[in-house]
Amino acid sequence: MTLLKTVYISIKEAMIFTARVMKWQIQSLTCFGACLVILGVGTGPVLGDEQQRSPSFQVQKGDVAKAEKLAGELASLSPRVNRDEAKLLVDCAFATVTKLRREYRMFGTPIFNNFLIYHGLRKRGYCYQWSEDLLIAIDALRLKSLELHWGEYDPNTWRENNCIVVTAKGQPFKQGIMLECWRHLGHLYFGLVASDWETYVENSAYARRVRERAVGSNVSKHDHPVAFQRSVVAKEKAGD
């Protein structure tokens, strides 16, 4: 009897020990699962917000040095300029111009490209279309320390050219840096707008209309009197 009793007690203790081990394992797995849920909920939106705040753009290898130079010049416009925003604007500008150059299928000289558009062999690529598309792309970044302006040279004539001028928040147009694409056949040119050989003036009213049309997905609704344009009507561009 003593032997049977001892065996019985041993089996009972083993069962109790096994039950306790299983209980501990279940509790551990439950805690681990709860931690995963908490971490998942906590980090998911943060990563999503960060991706929305900081989009990435691919700058071509040949443009990297120029992009770094432009970012430095934008950052030097004012101590108030956020350097991360300056770099983001530059990366967006170079990537956008590269994309548009492929879409516009630029060929020959700027004037010859206008000739191709005039004859229906190209859909877009006039100077104001470059500036409109670039303005809309950079506007989407919603930058806080930099502002975009619409610049135009010799407006309402066949010699008109357009560009985007970037200034620090609140700075005058003439202190800004111009971004111009058409003269260089779809390659981004930049420099102080006040030092350019073409004398640009600001047209904030037209910039506002471009932004309004972009909301309605109707960019370049109005014609401009540029060389070799198919149809020319009076531009709805009023001076400031």
Side-chain angles (χ1 to χ4, degrees), residues 26-216:
I26 292 171
Q27 289 176 341
S28 299
L29 289 172
T30 302
C31 292
F32 180 70
C35 290
L36 288 179
V37 171
I38 293 171
L39 290 173
V41 172
T43 59
V46 172
L47 291 174
D49 291 344
E50 184 65 26
Q51 289 174 348
Q52 290 179 3
R53 288 196 300 269
S54 303
S56 60
F57 300 95
Q58 185 66 41
V59 178
Q60 288 190 326
K61 185 177 180 180
D63 291 330
V64 170
K66 290 184 289 184
E68 291 176 352
K69 183 175 186 296
L70 176 56
E73 291 183 5
L74 291 178
S76 66
L77 285 172
S78 167
R80 301 188 305 274
V81 173
N82 183 298
R83 289 184 174 273
D84 291 335
E85 285 196 347
K87 183 179 186 307
L88 183 61
L89 184 154
V90 170
D91 289 350
C92 175
F94 274 97
T96 299
V97 170
T98 298
K99 174 176 174 288
L100 293 176
R101 190 168 62 246
R102 288 194 295 264
E103 292 179 357
Y104 291 173
R105 296 163 54 209
M106 301 298 287
F107 181 78
T109 66
I111 291 295
F112 183 70
N113 201 70
N114 281 11
F115 176 80
L116 296 177
I117 301 171
Y118 175 84
H119 286 284
L121 300 175
R122 296 289 187 273
K123 292 184 178 180
R124 287 177 71 81
Y126 289 133
C127 59
Y128 67 92
Q129 292 170 333
W130 278 104
S131 295
E132 286 181 350
D133 290 348
L134 186 57
L135 174 65
I136 292 167
I138 300 176
D139 254 357
L141 301 176
R142 302 185 181 278
L143 303 178
K144 304 298 182 184
S145 64
L146 294 162
E147 289 183 335
L148 304 179
H149 308 260
W150 184 273
E152 55 188 19
Y153 161 74
D154 212 0
N156 301 313
T157 73
W158 291 99
R159 295 180 299 276
E160 177 172 343
N161 192 24
N162 303 109
C163 70
I164 300 302
V165 175
V166 186
T167 67
K169 189 78 172 180
Q171 273 186 338
F173 172 85
K174 286 296 184 181
Q175 293 183 16
I177 294 174
M178 64 182 292
L179 307 179
E180 198 275 343
C181 312
W182 181 81
R183 291 187 318 202
H184 298 267
L185 200 68
H187 292 274
L188 187 65
Y189 166 83
F190 58 90
L192 290 173
V193 65
S195 301
D196 196 74
W197 64 273
E198 292 181 335
T199 304
Y200 287 87
V201 296
E202 183 175 8
N203 190 338
S204 58
Y206 189 74
R208 183 168 58 252
R209 279 195 287 274
V210 171
R211 290 172 169 126
E212 290 171 352
R213 292 201 302 270
V215 173

Side-chain angles (χ1 to χ4, degrees), residues 118 126 223-224 229-233:
Y118 175 84
Y126 289 133
D223 288 329
H224 293 228
Q229 183 158 331
R230 177 175 291 278
S231 60
V232 179
V233 297

Side-chain angles (χ1 to χ4, degrees), residues 213-225:
R213 292 201 302 270
V215 173
S217 300
N218 194 11
V219 181
S220 295
K221 176 181 178 181
H222 304 292
D223 288 329
H224 293 228

Side-chain angles (χ1 to χ4, degrees), residues 3-23:
L3 179 60
L4 290 175
K5 184 176 180 180
T6 301
V7 172
Y8 171 77
I9 293 173
S10 298
I11 293 174
K12 184 177 181 180
E13 289 177 346
M15 293 176 63
I16 293 172
F17 176 77
T18 302
R20 286 177 178 175
V21 170
M22 292 179 64
K23 181 179 180 181

